[in-house]
Amino acid sequence: MADQRMDISSTMNEFMTPSSTDLISSSMATPGMDYTRKRKGSITDYHVTLFWTLLVIIREAHSQIEKRRRDKMNSFIDELASLVPTCNAMSRKLDKLTVLRMAVQHMKTLRGAANPYTEANYKPAFLSEDELKHLILRAADGFLFVVVSDRLTHYISPVLSILQNDLIGQSLFDYLHPKDIAKVKEQLSSSDTAPRERLIDAKTGLPVRTDIAPCPSRLCSGARRSFFCRMKCNRPLVKMEDNDFSSTCSKKKADRKSFCTIHSTGYLKSWPPTKMGLDEDNEPDNEGCNLSCLVAIGRLHPHIVPQPMNGDIRVKPTEYVSRHAIDGKFVFVDQRATAILAYLPQELLGTSFYEYFHQDDIGHLAECHRQVLQMREKINTNCYKFKIKDGSVITLRSRWFSFMNPWTKEVEYIVSTNTVVSGSSLDGAEPGYPQLPASPQSMDSSGKTVPGIPGGTRPGAGKIGRMIAEEVMEIQRIRGSSPSSFGSSPLSISNSTPPPDTSSPGGRKISNGGSLDIPSAGMLSGQDSIGYPYSNSSILSDQSHICIGDIMDEPGSSSDEAAMAIVMSLLEADAGLGGPVDFSDLPWPL
Amino acid sequence: TVNEHLKRRKEKSRDAARSRRGKESEVFYELANQLPLPHNVTSHLDKASIMRLTISYLRMRKLLNSDESEKENEVESQLNSFYLKALEGFLMVLSEDGDMVYLSENVSKSMGLSQFDLTGHSIFEFSHPCDHEELREMLVHRTGSKKTKEQNTERSFFLRMKCTLTSRGRTVNIKSATWKVLHCTGHVRVQECGEVSGDSGFKEPPLTYLVLICEPIPHPSNIEVPLDSKTFLSRHTLDMKFSYCDERITELMGYEPDDLLNRSVYEYYHALDSDHLTKTHHNLFAKGQATTGQYRMLAKKGGFVWVETQATVIYNPKNSQPQCIVCVNYVLRYGFSLQIFSKPLIPGKQLYSLCCEMSQWACSHLAIRLGRSGNHQHIAVIGNLVLSHYLTWCGHIQAKQERYKN
């Protein structure tokens, strides 16, 4: 009906063109007649013309509506014909009446087969209960369970695959996570221990406290329940929820069973169902509710927050910047390195990066090292392994370039931008990231050692860098003023003192604060603007007071919560969190 | 005579038309009777409705054609009737072009509109226009070729549908319908039509359809189910700062409600979840209600808890402007036990596990600050960092104690 009305008004708008209204008004322009004044009870020419015009308009509108209806019906008929097998089978198009007749026949056949009229509780339905059940399970990814509470034990009778059939008759609590037992008990109980009501006032959004006892309708048949709990889960296809870091090391992992968070929704029902009959609508209210059962569908909680997969995260790549002397020793490391490598800057400074390279990569990286000292352009390394504090390795890829002091024309240091590469793409080359060909040494099996250099070991590693630096310097001296690839003034690396901020061998009191002295753009064209994010007031300078002594195990039981709080604030400070920390009350062994 | 001839012909055609209409009405009546609906409903259906209901019925038959006719015993078949009632919400099957091919009978309990009012119509006629684009995306299903991966069949989204139920349970006219937010979850399915159709000799194309469970989100002023002690309520200003928090949060997460006032809830979200939660909030503001799925909130003394939140925008009844947001928060489980901090440290294994637990706490907080680092390797490294710090520091304590002793 609403459709019709809308159609009429829209059609009328089409017909109420200016010309038709002119027609009405012009015919009225008889002199002396004021057609705005209605004479009571009399039908003027105006009215008559209006009447006939409207009639025409309505008739037109009506026929338009009729046309639309006919078209709609025709498309319905066509669709019906495609769904009725006997119609479909015909090669010619059938008339409306025949299609309808065949449809009736078809419906009779279908319904006759599906719903025998002999069933006592026959209720006409589009789907049988069985079909509905399958659809629900398809959509919900869940199972039905019935829990009978006689206040002593709870029986669970699952119907579908997640929990095995032999669970029928078992106690629900055997299958719940121990920490959720109390919660589920609350939900199942029909006693006064139910929590007091917490409602929200719809207008203010503030809670309305009512300390009255839970209203009886909560406890009786039909009362609804909805809650979350963890249940044991056998199904191998289920997404396990154990990637929340809590299982990295605890010895409890061995005993850990797989639990899934289940969202259960359902209702209370009087027990036993067979006595009360299946017709739920006619159940009398059972005020006593001594024996009630919960009928619920447990849905594998479908709505786990999508976690960013390694490849999906659109964040800046995990990277840090380091500076090295020409022999490869760390002279500076930015704050982010600590989070990536687990070493504190102090631990790295003065050590050679070769000490952290994997043997297989040394050949290639040594070659890069040589090249970067001789060229003015950026060198990209291949992916290589870097040993971090706990002994494990991560995969990095670095971009190196050497910084030449414009005044002294000496290479002062090598700047390395190091990007963590995720494990899977060890061999993958990123587009637009040109690489040096892998060093031939790393190809053959004896690539573990760089020829002529004692390989692999930590002290030996440090030597590699020095040797390369010396080698390059030698080359430069011999070459004299041979032009570099960028045509800038000859590189002359003398045996000058290392850059002023190299660590002295003894103490490790390095001030890592202060901003990098970025030379003018001309020298370092193409310099990325990433990577020097630390502020002048680096908190790390405070750390310089720490002497990293021997790590002692079994430190004893003296620490208590206060100590822990101090450690926490230390960590926050270290990572640049929070505000400035007052270290004055720390028991530093100074 | 010619005139009489013409007259007779007109009469004939009029009679024929009348008789045709009569026959048509008869057949429509018969068809209506075949519909699986109560007689008092079918006798009042107009022709167009009879057609759409019949067509939907037949389409459903096609979709359910094959499989799943397992033999079930008597107990199982008795339980069949429980499924629908146990659900919060109703079932809806959508065809690829958005027709509501099937809705379960209990749709009227949630939406006021009845099964036979809606079946066969397009969902686009009954849903909010701003949600149509999202809806269209949900209906699409690209089956993977050999090279590309199979598209995920799971669907989960929020849809506003017309609702003729008032908050007091009365029904209003469709013209006065309001929008109700439904959380729709389910799967896309493709049904192969095995039969060869007619003379044409080729198989019909497979049918794509969407099976959804549509659940309304309970309004916090009208929650039917009892909330257990692992839930807490919170209220927020529109920028998500806490303006009130239920005291239950203390036993669940360690915070005093006062700790939280005027702080943004984003400070407490785990870094890895904050993207998703931001999207949920957009949904919340656009549609009026939303649920978050499982996410992590940082607990006071360390670690985090897994939470699911149902959020509702509360409007000022005088000017219909959004006023605040009320959240019902369900604590699902803990990231790690908070109890560990209340025990005194004992050297050895417990110390080690404490450090590892600490590292998780540190991970979660540092992860926020370092900005969405999802790399697990990264996180593990942070853990090591913490461990080494802690042990180092403990070493100093011991050294100092020894010095004092001497």
Side-chain angles (χ1 to χ4, degrees):
Chain A
M1 282 298 283
D3 285 348
Q4 282 180 348
R5 248 174 269 150
M6 262 173 49
D7 279 349
I8 288 176
S9 59
S10 63
T11 319
M12 281 183 63
N13 281 334
E14 290 168 36
F15 286 97
M16 285 303 236
T17 59
S19 55
S20 54
T21 47
D22 284 349
L23 187 64
I24 297 171
S25 52
S26 63
S27 67
M28 294 293 102
T30 47
M33 194 158 197
D34 182 359
Y35 58 80
T36 58
R37 203 167 33 128
K38 274 192 228 167
R39 285 200 300 248
K40 237 188 187 175
S42 67
I43 300 173
T44 61
D45 287 341
Y46 164 71
H47 287 105
V48 170
T49 316
L50 187 60
F51 171 75
W52 284 111
T53 313
L54 285 174
L55 198 63
V56 167
I57 291 170
I58 290 171
R59 222 184 269 160
E60 278 302 313
H62 209 72
S63 77
Q64 289 248 334
I65 294 168
E66 272 305 307
K67 184 177 187 305
R68 268 179 234 167
R69 236 199 238 156
R70 273 199 309 271
D71 289 341
K72 183 115 206 252
M73 184 55 71
N74 286 338
S75 73
F76 272 153
I77 296 286
D78 288 340
E79 197 173 351
L80 186 60
S82 72
L83 289 166
V84 176
T86 42
C87 293
N88 227 357
M90 299 284 186
S91 47
R92 59 192 164 87
K93 186 170 172 177
L94 296 166
D95 66 287
K96 185 171 167 184
L97 217 50
T98 316
V99 171
L100 290 171
R101 287 209 176 106
M102 284 181 161
V104 173
Q105 274 311 306
H106 185 57
M107 292 283 280
K108 279 183 179 165
T109 322
L110 283 178
R111 301 217 34 227
N115 297 303
Y117 289 84
T118 51
E119 268 186 39
N121 298 336
Y122 174 65
K123 258 194 282 187
F126 272 75
L127 299 181
S128 71
E129 280 174 347
D130 180 49
E131 288 166 331
L132 185 56
K133 169 180 95 176
H134 282 114
L135 278 182
I136 289 175
L137 294 176
R138 242 187 245 178
D141 226 1
F143 56 96
L144 184 81
F145 64 96
V146 178
V147 182
V148 179
S149 162
D150 57 357
R151 294 191 183 208
L152 296 172
T153 49
H154 298 80
Y155 294 95
I156 179 167
S157 65
V159 179
L160 234 211
S161 57
I162 293 182
L163 304 170
Q164 309 297 328
N165 271 333
D166 54 18
L167 292 177
I168 294 178
Q170 303 297 313
S171 168
L172 172 67
F173 296 140
D174 288 344
Y175 293 90
L176 287 180
H177 192 285
K179 295 208 175 124
D180 288 342
I181 289 179
K183 174 161 71 168
V184 176
K185 269 188 178 160
E186 276 182 66
Q187 291 284 344
L188 293 176
S189 82
S190 43
S191 69
D192 295 343
T193 56
R196 59 159 203 237
E197 307 261 331
R198 281 174 297 154
L199 300 171
I200 294 272
D201 183 296
K203 290 178 193 161
T204 60
L206 284 174
V208 170
R209 290 290 169 82
T210 54
D211 282 317
I212 56 174
C215 67
S217 68
R218 283 279 181 92
L219 308 173
C220 285
S221 268
R224 299 209 60 94
R225 291 289 184 267
S226 172
F227 58 92
F228 296 91
C229 62
R230 282 165 286 176
M231 287 196 195
K232 280 186 197 166
C233 217
N234 288 337
R235 220 162 108 190
L237 299 172
V238 161
K239 289 177 223 169
M240 287 303 157
E241 296 162 343
D242 54 0
N243 51 355
D244 53 354
F245 313 138
S246 56
S247 53
T248 42
C249 59
S250 165
K251 65 176 168 165
K252 287 177 259 169
K253 190 182 183 184
D255 332 321
R256 182 181 295 269
K257 296 177 184 65
S258 325
F259 287 97
C260 311
T261 303
I262 305 279
H263 183 199
S264 303
T265 58
Y267 61 103
L268 294 182
K269 191 175 158 49
S270 296
W271 177 260
T274 48
K275 286 187 190 165
M276 305 301 289
L278 289 176
D279 192 356
E280 307 203 340
D281 299 326
N282 290 342
E283 273 179 24
D285 263 337
N286 200 341
E287 286 130 358
C289 282
N290 283 325
L291 289 179
S292 65
C293 66
L294 170 70
V295 178
I297 287 191
R299 298 175 65 178
L300 272 183
H301 199 67
H303 200 27
I304 294 188
V305 168
Q307 290 297 288
M309 303 302 286
N310 269 338
D312 287 358
I313 306 175
R314 276 177 263 110
V315 295
K316 285 191 298 205
T318 312
E319 61 182 26
Y320 68 95
V321 172
S322 56
R323 256 191 289 157
H324 305 264
I326 54 173
D327 64 358
K329 287 211 180 110
F330 281 90
V331 296
F332 164 80
V333 152
D334 87 20
Q335 272 184 354
R336 296 171 295 173
T338 310
I340 297 168
L341 305 176
Y343 289 112
L344 291 173
Q346 298 88 318
E347 296 175 287
L348 294 169
L349 298 176
T351 61
S352 167
F353 53 23
Y354 285 99
E355 297 173 39
Y356 307 91
F357 294 158
H358 193 273
Q359 290 169 5
D360 293 343
D361 299 316
I362 284 186
H364 166 65
L365 292 165
E367 184 55 38
C368 293
H369 185 188
R370 270 192 205 98
Q371 294 203 7
V372 77
L373 290 176
Q374 298 179 68
M375 293 188 204
R376 299 298 299 126
E377 53 188 13
K378 285 183 200 166
I379 305 290
N380 294 315
T381 67
N382 292 343
C383 295
Y384 62 93
K385 298 197 188 72
F386 193 99
K387 194 166 61 171
I388 63 174
K389 179 139 183 176
D390 66 351
S392 65
V393 290
I394 58 174
T395 311
L396 295 178
R397 178 187 262 142
S398 303
R399 184 176 281 178
W400 292 347
F401 74 93
S402 51
F403 169 62
M404 190 175 86
N405 186 314
W407 187 252
T408 61
K409 303 284 193 286
E410 289 167 3
V411 173
E412 293 217 337
Y413 44 78
I414 300 167
V415 179
S416 171
T417 307
N418 313 285
T419 310
V420 177
V421 173
S422 61
S424 55
S425 57
L426 192 62
D427 300 316
E430 289 168 39
Y433 202 7
Q435 298 172 32
L436 290 174
S439 160
Q441 284 113 333
S442 61
M443 299 286 229
D444 43 53
S445 54
S446 63
K448 287 186 182 174
T449 58
V450 177
I453 294 175
T457 60
R458 204 169 143 131
K463 273 190 203 163
I464 299 173
R466 255 173 292 149
M467 288 179 65
I468 290 178
E470 283 163 17
E471 186 188 315
V472 171
M473 290 196 292
E474 194 61 38
I475 292 172
Q476 299 297 338
R477 233 198 332 260
I478 290 170
R479 277 202 202 142
S481 50
S482 58
S484 68
S485 51
F486 269 82
S488 50
S489 27
L491 199 67
S492 65
I493 306 172
S494 58
N495 261 333
S496 56
T497 56
D501 53 352
T502 307
S503 64
S504 47
R508 308 229 183 145
K509 251 189 176 188
I510 305 301
S511 160
N512 248 336
S515 47
L516 177 67
D517 203 7
I518 299 182
S520 58
M523 272 310 268
L524 296 170
S525 53
Q527 163 83 45
D528 297 343
S529 57
I530 45 108
Y532 303 105
Y534 50 96
S535 64
N536 281 337
S537 57
S538 167
I539 304 168
L540 287 173
S541 53
D542 288 331
Q543 302 290 311
S544 60
H545 295 295
I546 301 174
C547 292
I548 300 188
D550 301 324
I551 291 178
M552 300 158 80
D553 51 336
E554 310 289 341
S557 55
S558 54
S559 307
D560 56 12
E561 266 191 86
M564 253 183 283
I566 293 171
V567 175
M568 293 303 178
S569 48
L570 190 72
L571 293 172
E572 294 205 37
D574 198 26
L577 314 172
V581 180
D582 183 14
F583 286 94
S584 57
D585 55 347
L586 287 179
W588 298 119
L590 297 171
Chain B
T1 58
V2 178
N3 265 351
E4 281 176 11
H5 207 68
L6 284 172
K7 249 198 198 171
R8 242 179 283 143
R9 230 196 270 168
K10 266 195 200 165
E11 264 181 43
K12 257 194 192 171
S13 81
R14 245 183 289 152
D15 287 342
R18 208 183 295 142
S19 128
R20 218 179 25 241
R21 276 196 298 273
K23 281 187 197 155
E24 221 179 74
S25 298
E26 222 179 276
V27 179
F28 268 108
Y29 184 78
E30 272 188 67
L31 193 56
N33 271 344
Q34 291 303 316
L35 287 172
L37 292 167
H39 187 73
N40 61 339
V41 172
T42 57
S43 52
H44 291 108
L45 293 170
D46 63 22
K47 288 179 185 168
S49 299
I50 295 172
M51 289 302 284
R52 72 173 157 84
L53 290 167
T54 309
I55 287 170
S56 298
Y57 179 76
L58 293 176
R59 282 172 98 176
M60 273 308 282
R61 284 291 117 215
K62 243 186 170 175
L63 292 178
L64 296 172
N65 212 0
S66 56
D67 50 88
E68 288 146 39
S69 43
E70 310 157 3
K71 291 286 181 185
E72 50 178 28
N73 58 40
E74 206 188 294
V75 174
E76 282 178 7
S77 41
Q78 275 186 354
L79 294 171
N80 281 349
S81 58
F82 294 175
Y83 281 79
L84 189 62
K85 191 167 175 189
L87 272 189
E88 291 276 319
F90 58 94
L91 187 83
M92 178 162 72
V93 178
L94 293 177
S95 70
E96 206 171 354
D97 45 11
D99 290 336
M100 296 183 281
V101 182
Y102 175 76
L103 296 126
S104 56
E105 291 144 8
N106 59 351
V107 60
S108 47
K109 284 199 194 129
S110 307
M111 311 304 289
L113 298 162
S114 65
Q115 184 189 42
F116 51 85
D117 278 336
L118 293 168
T119 305
H121 283 297
S122 169
I123 181 118
F124 295 105
E125 286 174 46
F126 288 88
S127 54
H128 197 290
C130 295
D131 298 340
H132 285 179
E133 197 185 319
E134 195 182 350
L135 195 45
R136 267 182 264 269
E137 277 173 46
M138 293 294 141
L139 289 168
V140 171
H141 179 66
R142 283 173 220 101
T143 47
S145 62
K146 279 172 200 163
K147 288 179 191 171
T148 60
K149 260 196 311 182
E150 271 281 330
Q151 209 189 49
N152 190 9
T153 61
E154 273 184 20
R155 296 289 184 264
S156 173
F157 58 98
F158 296 95
L159 181 68
R160 281 167 286 184
M161 265 187 83
K162 285 183 184 170
C163 175
T164 55
L165 270 184
T166 63
S167 52
R168 293 189 199 158
R170 282 183 290 178
T171 322
V172 298
N173 193 290
I174 181 86
K175 277 185 246 164
S176 322
T178 51
W179 295 111
K180 191 167 195 171
V181 180
L182 294 172
H183 184 202
C184 303
T185 51
H187 287 272
V188 176
R189 303 266 314 183
V190 180
Q191 178 71 28
E192 300 285 337
C193 297
E195 301 154 19
V196 174
S197 68
D199 301 336
S200 41
F202 58 86
K203 253 171 78 166
E204 289 177 21
L207 294 170
T208 305
Y209 60 102
L210 195 53
V211 185
L212 295 170
I213 291 179
C214 306
E215 294 165 293
I217 301 170
H219 195 281
S221 64
N222 188 22
I223 299 180
E224 275 186 7
V225 298
L227 298 175
D228 54 50
S229 50
K230 298 284 195 285
T231 56
F232 66 95
L233 300 174
S234 61
R235 192 181 76 145
H236 305 260
T237 52
L238 296 176
D239 57 359
M240 293 309 288
K241 290 197 178 129
F242 279 93
S243 55
Y244 161 81
C245 191
D246 183 342
E247 69 218 4
R248 258 191 220 284
I249 195 176
T250 311
E251 73 196 62
L252 295 171
M253 293 180 64
Y255 301 105
E256 295 294 326
D258 286 340
D259 292 345
L260 302 167
L261 287 184
N262 280 318
R263 309 210 47 168
S264 168
V265 76
Y266 283 97
E267 290 181 40
Y268 303 91
Y269 289 158
H270 193 286
L272 293 177
D273 299 330
S274 55
D275 258 357
H276 174 82
L277 288 165
T278 308
K279 280 188 207 144
T280 307
H281 287 146
H282 286 145
N283 251 336
L284 173 66
F285 297 129
K287 298 174 186 174
Q289 285 188 293
T291 59
T292 57
Q294 297 182 44
Y295 67 95
R296 286 156 287 195
M297 272 189 83
L298 302 175
K300 181 163 186 175
K301 284 194 185 145
F304 46 82
V305 296
W306 288 91
V307 180
E308 165 143 346
T309 297
Q310 294 169 349
T312 305
V313 178
I314 303 282
Y315 296 90
N316 188 322
K318 292 174 197 164
N319 56 16
S320 297
Q321 289 301 304
Q323 186 178 297
C324 63
I325 293 161
V326 173
C327 294
V328 181
N329 308 287
Y330 298 83
V331 175
L332 305 174
R333 61 189 193 278
Y334 291 91
F336 69 87
S337 168
L338 288 176
Q339 290 145 4
I340 209 159
F341 284 110
S342 60
K343 290 185 192 146
L345 263 192
I346 298 169
K349 276 187 184 169
Q350 267 177 298
L351 171 63
Y352 178 71
S353 62
L354 170 67
C355 291
C356 295
E357 302 282 30
M358 270 172 52
S359 42
Q360 288 150 38
W361 178 86
C363 288
S364 46
H365 277 277
L366 285 176
I368 281 191
R369 299 314 197 269
L370 295 168
R372 292 184 265 136
S373 302
N375 191 334
H376 281 215
Q377 200 180 31
H378 189 169
I379 301 282
V381 161
I382 295 175
N384 293 326
L385 159 70
V386 172
L387 176 58
S388 70
H389 268 286
Y390 184 77
L391 292 176
T392 305
W393 194 85
C394 289
H396 293 311
I397 293 292
Q398 176 140 6
K400 188 186 170 195
Q401 282 181 334
E402 303 216 27
R403 227 175 288 142
Y404 280 133
K405 276 180 201 166
N406 299 339

